[in-house]
Each structure stands twice: as structure tokens, then as C-alpha cells.
Amino acid sequence: MATPAIAQVTYPTQPIRFTIPFAPGGSNDLAARLTAPRMAARLGQPFMIETRSGAGGMTGVDVAAKAPDDGYTIALGTTGAIVIGPSLTRNPPFVTGRDLAPITLAINVQVPIVVPAQSPYRSLQDLLAGAKAQPGKITFGSSGTGGMPHMAGELLNQVAEVQIVHVPYRGGGPVGTALLQAEEDMGMSDMSVFLAHHRAGTMRIPAVGSAQRLPYLPDVPTLAQSGITGVETSNRHGLVTAAGEPEAILYRLNAAAAAFLQDPEVVKTLNQQGIDPVGNSRAALAALITADKARWSEVIRRANIWPE
């Protein structure tokens, strides 16, 4: 019975501030810049893109959390920025369940296991066997402490019972550079960082953390097919805004985003970059955030990582 109320809301009547919480060039930035003009066309107002990086993405998400609850500020946050970062911060700038309203899950980006092209480890089993034979000697680079790739690596350590040492970098790009120069034994970041290198043979992806093999990497096994179950490494990027937004406005934002994210041309464009668009309901995104918080809080506890 919400439709009559929605019809009475005059929204939007001014430009919408759209915060990207990471530096240009990554999958978050790519998805946001694809999102902005399409949502603007559907809502009839321009989207003013603003990059506010820092604190693992929390700085940009906080802009939306502290904005007026009028629908004119939204952010595209990741699992790390919305769920993991606040759990690793003594005084987080926002409380996810209290200060943020979910709009939709925009994209999923796989976080694959990647090794240098010249690596002696031809499969995940080889890599884990090497890690067991040399505890604390094999390293993995990630796009930063507390991010989803870091946590995925810690979860792999826990499930496989190995000690692969984490080496944080300032983003996925530097991880890719380190792997090209064989400075790390393994790397973890968003698929879009590594996909072209894997196809060119300058890096190798021995396994992915998806539930099934990826259509654009049909020859690469999943972690489960490689003998590691219970490790899913999908980095979620969700549209969020300030809590307290009127339901009518949240409905409009969700409908505008979901419509274009399910467009076949958008799906094709993002898939070519190793990105999977979603566009689900607000309730579905809220449920994922709750589940992710429980899951990664346990990983953090078992890894003995303390808030900073």
C-alpha cells in the first residue's frame, strides 16, 4: 500500500551527491561512474560524483551517514567500508545498523587467489602445501589492512590451517605491481585488478572464491573444487544513504538502481571487467550486511586482530 504515498513525494528536485570512497581506477570507481549517469537519467536529476577516499572506504561512507536524511547524498560502500572497517576501529565514525539505510547491492566482485606468472605453485593445492611446509614464509599482498581481501586471506589461513603472512598495500594496483615483479608469493584484491593480467599470462589465478566457476574464467576451479570449503571471497559494493530517509525516497532510489543493474548491456559491460551487477531489494542488502558482520567479526576474533 506504499505506492500512493510514493506517488505524493516530489523527489528528486535537485542534484544528488554521490560519494565514491576509493581512489579512481578500481572496481568501486568504475561501477560508480557507470551507475551515476544511468540513475540520473531515471530520476531526472544529475549525480554529482565526489571522491572521498580514506580509512578503508569509511571516510566516503561517513559522508552519507552524516548527511541530512533527504535522499540527496548516497555512497557506494564495500564490505570493508561498511562492515569490516567499523569492527576494526575503536571509535568508528558511524554505526552501520544505526546510521545507514541500505538501498541495493550494486555489484559483487570476486577476490581471487593470484600468483606471479613464474610462481612454482601451479594450483591452490601446491600453494597450500608450500605454506604448510614453510609456516610463516609464504606471503600474500592485499589492497590494505582490514579490507575484504585481507579478511579473505585470513579466512583462508584459518580454514586451510596455514600461516600465509599478510603484507598490506595501498590499493589493488600496487598489489598487481608487486605480483608482476614477483615480490609476493600470492595476492588478493578485486578481480578487475587481475583479470587482464591473467588473460595475458602475466599472472595466474589458480582458484576463485565463488560458489560456481565463473563464466569468464571457465578453466579456473573454485576454492571448493580445490578442496577448501567455507571460504567465499566476494567483495560486495552496496549503495547506502543516511538512516531515517523516508520510505518513498528509498523506494525510488532502489527502483532506479535495480532497473539499470539488471539491464543486459550493463551486465555485459561489467562482466567484461570481472564485475557482477546485482540490483536486489533493500531488505536483501540489509540481510547480507547482518550476515557479513557476524561472519567477519568471527574471522577477526580468530585472527586476533585488534581495533586500532
Side-chain angles (χ1 to χ4, degrees), residues 267-288:
V267 172
K268 180 180 178 181
T269 298
L270 289 174
N271 280 172
Q272 289 172 344
Q273 304 292 325
I275 299 170
D276 302 311
V278 182
N280 60 1
S281 69
R282 293 181 51 242
L285 176 56
L288 285 171

Side-chain angles (χ1 to χ4, degrees), residues 164-285:
I164 303 177
V165 178
H166 176 235
V167 180
Y169 286 81
R170 298 179 69 86
V175 177
T177 299
L179 289 173
L180 287 172
Q181 298 173 353
E183 294 175 353
E184 305 297 344
D185 299 297
M186 180 184 107
M188 297 192 78
S189 187
D190 282 0
M191 176 68 78
S192 53
V193 174
F194 304 125
L195 186 57
H197 289 291
H198 173 80
R199 288 170 172 164
T202 52
M203 296 180 195
R204 285 187 287 109
I205 299 176
V208 293
S210 51
Q212 300 174 338
R213 292 197 184 208
L214 300 172
Y216 46 86
L217 287 175
D219 297 329
V220 176
T222 67
L223 289 172
Q225 290 170 336
S226 302
I228 299 297
T229 58
V231 180
E232 181 244 343
T233 60
S234 175
N235 195 3
R236 312 190 209 281
H237 299 238
L239 285 170
V240 293
T241 187
E245 302 272 3
E247 285 294 320
I249 289 176
L250 292 170
Y251 176 92
R252 288 216 67 193
L253 288 169
N254 173 269
F260 90 83
L261 286 166
Q262 294 165 7
D263 180 272
E265 284 302 313
V266 172
V267 172
K268 180 180 178 181
T269 298
L270 289 174
N271 280 172
Q272 289 172 344
Q273 304 292 325
I275 299 170
D276 302 311
V278 182
N280 60 1
S281 69
R282 293 181 51 242
L285 176 56

